[in-house]
Amino acid sequence: MTEAKLDLIAKLLAKAESTTPEEAEALTEHAERLIMKYGIEQAQIDERRGRLGQTQEQIVTERMLFRGVYAKDLREIGIGVAMAFETVRPLVGEFPPVAALYLVGHESDVRQAQTLTASLEVQAMVAMRDWWLTHRDLYARHREGDRRRARSGFLRGFAVGVMNRIAESRRVVVDESTAGTELVLVSRRSRVDAAVDEMATKAARPRRGADAASFAYGHRSGLDAQTGGQTAVAR
């Protein structure tokens, strides 16, 4: 895929963040399909290089920083995107008040995971604010900490919905690809796993559970997020 196509992906997602929901759906569907097809294309080329004894694509680690009250919740979106890609490993770092996400994978995969995460971060905040305007009366008697926890729960539910949706979109693209594509992707993931195994990691401190109702609303909104592909079946 050419640099022009990569630039087109970025432009499609950028426009989707500032247009009507109807137009955003078409724009982002196009963008995600291009991302998935690009990832498969790169994986097949890289696998062929390996068989020929040529240098394969470099595995990199890129950092994304999330700031603000909902930093850790927004980071969950990036984690979900990485997990749905399957060829990118997410690692977390704590630098209060900043939440860090490290994406480990082949350079082309990490680049696209970053692009999609940034777009979905914007969509998540817009969706959360719209939801809160409609449902805040339900939390009128709650303390501010509980209200913030509800908004946090929405964002984490959004992240899970997004992960399921992208994973389903990826599955469709893989099924439409040539025979042997899944084995190529498994091999690609194995190289990333080996790289991560060499890195020193530390378990993150567990978080308090989300407000159940807001999590459910967020999950549904995440499934409806304009990531491209058809609606995923909740797992």
Side-chain angles (χ1 to χ4, degrees):
M1 187 174 288
T2 64
E3 285 295 325
K5 291 265 182 84
L6 294 175
D7 193 42
L8 174 61
I9 290 171
K11 288 179 178 178
L12 287 169
L13 291 174
K15 189 174 181 182
E17 295 163 14
S18 58
T19 187
T20 64
E22 293 76 20
E23 187 178 6
E25 182 174 1
L27 289 168
T28 318
E29 180 177 357
H30 188 188
E32 185 183 322
R33 282 302 180 100
L34 284 174
I35 288 173
M36 295 301 173
K37 288 178 180 179
Y38 171 70
I40 290 173
E41 212 173 90
Q42 289 298 109
Q44 291 170 333
I45 292 171
D46 203 44
E47 190 75 11
R48 193 177 305 120
R49 285 175 180 162
R51 289 198 299 268
L52 295 174
Q54 299 173 351
T55 302
Q56 292 183 276
E57 188 178 2
Q58 183 180 5
I59 293 178
V60 301
T61 301
E62 292 292 339
R63 185 178 69 174
M64 298 187 74
L65 300 178
F66 301 84
R67 296 178 171 84
V69 177
Y70 306 107
K72 290 185 178 181
D73 306 308
L74 293 172
R75 181 174 62 187
E76 293 295 321
I77 295 173
I79 293 172
V81 169
M83 293 178 68
F85 270 47
E86 293 189 9
T87 52
V88 177
R89 283 283 297 274
L91 303 173
V92 300
E94 303 301 338
F95 307 99
V98 177
L101 172 64
Y102 297 88
L103 298 174
V104 185
H106 293 81
E107 189 173 7
S108 58
D109 293 335
V110 169
R111 184 177 177 183
Q112 295 311 310
Q114 286 179 298
T115 299
L116 190 53
T117 296
S119 179
L120 289 169
E121 182 182 352
V122 175
Q123 289 191 45
M125 290 302 294
V126 171
M128 186 269 284
R129 287 166 184 152
D130 286 348
W131 168 78
W132 185 248
L133 285 175
T134 305
H135 296 85
R136 61 184 175 185
D137 288 346
L138 297 175
Y139 298 88
R141 296 178 180 275
H142 293 236
R143 293 176 297 181
E144 177 54 33
D146 291 329
R147 290 195 288 269
R148 185 179 297 117
R149 180 168 167 252
R151 294 189 290 268
S152 170
F154 178 94
L155 292 172
R156 280 189 277 160
F158 184 98
V160 173
V162 159
M163 180 178 67
N164 289 340
R165 171 101 179 236
I166 297 173
E168 177 64 14
S169 179
R170 178 185 181 279
R171 185 194 64 77
V172 171
V173 173
V174 170
D175 287 347
E176 293 173 351
S177 302
T178 58
T181 295
E182 189 61 52
L183 291 176
V184 169
L185 295 176
V186 168
S187 174
R188 193 169 177 84
R189 171 60 187 262
S190 295
R191 292 196 295 275
V192 175
D193 287 342
V196 172
D197 288 343
E198 296 178 0
M199 301 169 63
T201 60
K202 184 163 68 173
R205 184 176 61 183
R207 301 187 58 200
R208 186 183 178 191
D211 175 84
S214 60
F215 182 95
Y217 279 111
H219 180 268
R220 170 52 54 190
S221 183
L223 286 173
D224 294 339
Q226 310 308 325
T227 61
Q230 301 176 352
T231 302
V233 177
R235 289 167 174 76

